[in-house]
């Protein structure tokens, strides 16, 4: 459920690309946008509308020509690349259309990698959490397989597990169903909804696909680099409103991840209050569903 906590705030953001000294393209024009914790925000628009540029700026992969960019309350507009690299690792998760898994690593190793890069997890903790994340997204059977050995839908779920590894404030998804079959697409959309609904994960998703857009709390339409008014998507929301993944299974998997995180935080002598609140929410959900 969305809260008042701002995860993203763009203030009068514009982006101009110069093709030559006198020739330029305005990819974004005076964008003002706020994304709050717990939202699913989808970004739609035709090719050339500015979707990719907007996603890159939100993900700190590109800088605006003018305006300010705040992520998690931090003004990152003028931050150097060394700072942003660490910032992305610790606070943002990315899921790309082409998965972008490292081909020489197994699924387990791909999910472990961002945790190990932070230096905050031991190898054993990272391995255990990676296994739990792969279980959470429904692909425990691919743990020891490389990307070339699994399907596109399975690769995308491994990519989602990797994006969740460091408990990001925001997961950025670029056409997450663009390279997979219809059945796999439905599973990915269900997973996004469950992660958002029961775990509070915040998503911003760029898509051409109306089915994907229908799962969002809000839709941002871009045309010619500007935000335009949202249309009525009631019919699509109703049509694609049924879950195809068992929420109790996902909740149980998440509780196991919280158990691991609690052990890690206690080992480091860190506060577990927020974690305990999340566990209480999941436990209450299971109780309401008649699962003890």
């Amino acid at each position: 459920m969305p809260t008042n906590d701002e995860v993203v705030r763009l203030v009068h953001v514009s982006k101009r690309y110069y093709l030559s000294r006198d020739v330029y393209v305005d990819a974004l024009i005076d964008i003002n946008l706020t994304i709050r914790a717990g939202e699913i925000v989808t970004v739609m628009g035709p090719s050339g509308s500015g979707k990719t540029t907007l996603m890159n700026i939100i993900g700190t992969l590109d800088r605006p020509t003018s305006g300010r960019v705040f992520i998690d309350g931090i003004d990152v507009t003028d931050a150097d690349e060394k700072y942003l690299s660490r910032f992305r690792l610790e606070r943002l998760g990315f899921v790309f259309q082409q998965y972008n898994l490292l081909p020489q690593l197994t699924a387990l190793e791909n999910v472990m990698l961002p945790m190990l890069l932070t230096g905050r997890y031991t190898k054993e903790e990272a391995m255990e959490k990676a296994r739990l994340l792969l279980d959470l997204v429904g692909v425990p059977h691919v743990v020891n397989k490389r990307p070339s050995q699994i399907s596109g839908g399975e690769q995308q779920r491994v990519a989602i597990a990797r994006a969740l590894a460091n408990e990001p404030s925001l997961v950025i998804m670029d056409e997450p169903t663009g390279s997979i079959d219809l059945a796999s697409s439905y599973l990915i959309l269900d997973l996004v909804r469950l992660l958002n609904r029961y775990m509070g994960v915040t998503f911003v998703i760029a898509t051409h696909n109306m089915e994907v857009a229908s799962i969002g709390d809000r839709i941002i339409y871009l045309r010619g680099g500007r935000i335009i008014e949202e249309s009525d998507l009631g019919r699509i929301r109703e049509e694609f409103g049924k879950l195809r993944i068992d929420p109790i299974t996902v909740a149980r998997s998440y509780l196991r991840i919280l158990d691991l995180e609690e052990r890690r935080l206690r080992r480091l002598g860190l506060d577990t209050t927020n974690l305990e609140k999340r566990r209480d929410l999941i436990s209450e959900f299971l109780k309401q569903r008649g699962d003890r």
Side-chain angles (χ1 to χ4, degrees):
M1 180 179 294
T3 72
N4 289 324
D5 298 329
E6 292 181 355
V7 177
V8 175
R9 182 159 61 95
L10 306 184
V11 182
H12 297 299
V13 164
S14 296
K15 180 65 179 183
R16 174 173 290 182
Y17 293 103
Y18 281 88
L19 307 179
S20 66
R21 189 178 69 176
D22 300 318
V23 179
Y24 58 84
V25 174
D26 284 320
L28 294 176
I29 303 171
D30 197 31
I31 299 294
N32 291 286
L33 173 65
T34 298
I35 298 174
R36 301 189 183 281
E39 281 194 297
I40 300 177
V41 174
T42 51
V43 180
M44 296 193 73
S47 297
S49 63
K51 294 193 306 298
T52 298
T53 302
L54 179 63
M55 298 294 277
N56 286 343
I57 287 176
I58 291 174
T60 74
L61 297 170
D62 202 353
R63 300 175 187 274
T65 304
S66 61
R68 310 303 299 180
V69 178
F70 298 85
I71 309 294
D72 251 3
I74 299 171
D75 188 344
V76 298
T77 313
D78 300 318
D80 61 43
E81 185 52 39
K82 182 178 180 181
Y83 174 86
L84 291 176
S85 179
R86 187 76 186 184
F87 186 90
R88 287 190 291 269
L89 175 66
E90 296 179 350
R91 294 176 182 259
L92 301 177
F94 294 88
V95 179
F96 302 96
Q97 180 176 349
Q98 299 300 331
Y99 327 126
N100 287 19
L101 300 176
L102 295 178
Q104 70 273 30
L105 300 183
T106 65
L108 184 71
E109 291 165 340
N110 267 283
V111 179
M112 288 173 62
L113 184 60
M115 290 183 270
L116 295 175
L117 289 174
T118 67
R120 296 177 179 176
Y121 289 80
T122 66
K123 183 177 180 180
E124 291 73 22
E125 288 170 340
M127 183 178 296
E128 184 178 357
K129 187 174 181 181
R131 288 183 183 277
L132 291 171
L133 284 167
L134 290 170
D135 183 59
L136 175 71
V137 301
V139 287
H141 55 285
V142 306
V143 165
N144 295 317
K145 294 183 179 181
R146 290 184 169 81
S148 61
Q149 298 173 310
I150 61 179
S151 71
E154 289 169 332
Q155 288 188 62
Q156 196 63 298
R157 282 188 273 175
V158 173
I160 292 172
R162 180 184 60 184
L164 296 172
N166 286 326
E167 306 282 332
S169 300
L170 175 69
V171 174
I172 298 167
M173 308 182 85
D174 185 11
E175 295 287 355
T177 64
S179 297
I180 56 179
D181 61 83
L182 185 61
S184 296
S185 296
Y186 285 148
L187 292 176
I188 295 298
L189 297 184
D190 284 352
L191 189 57
V192 168
R193 285 189 291 180
L194 287 170
L195 290 169
N196 171 262
R197 187 179 303 172
Y198 301 121
M199 289 71 177
V201 180
T202 307
F203 290 92
V204 57
I205 307 171
T207 184
H208 287 92
N209 188 312
M210 291 296 285
E211 289 90 341
V212 176
S214 72
I215 72 171
D217 299 298
R218 284 191 293 143
I219 299 173
I220 304 300
Y221 286 95
L222 286 176
R223 184 174 293 274
R226 300 179 186 272
I227 292 177
I228 61 175
E229 187 175 352
E230 178 180 347
S231 299
D232 179 21
L233 290 174
R235 180 187 62 80
I236 296 176
R237 288 180 186 274
E238 182 178 353
E239 182 177 351
F240 292 93
K242 295 181 179 179
L243 289 171
R244 298 164 185 83
I245 295 177
D246 179 16
I248 291 178
T249 300
V250 174
R252 287 173 180 167
S253 293
Y254 190 61
L255 280 177
R256 292 197 293 272
I257 292 171
L258 291 179
D259 288 341
L260 170 64
E261 283 295 291
E262 181 178 14
R263 294 198 301 271
R264 183 180 70 87
L265 292 174
R266 292 191 185 282
R267 174 179 64 80
L268 297 172
L270 299 177
D271 181 56
T272 62
T273 302
N274 289 334
L275 184 146
E276 289 165 359
K277 289 179 180 178
R278 282 187 282 168
R279 179 186 283 116
D280 289 344
L281 287 173
I282 298 301
S283 297
E284 180 61 27
F285 161 72
L286 289 172
K287 182 179 178 181
Q288 291 173 0
R289 290 296 184 107
D291 187 84
R292 301 287 178 170

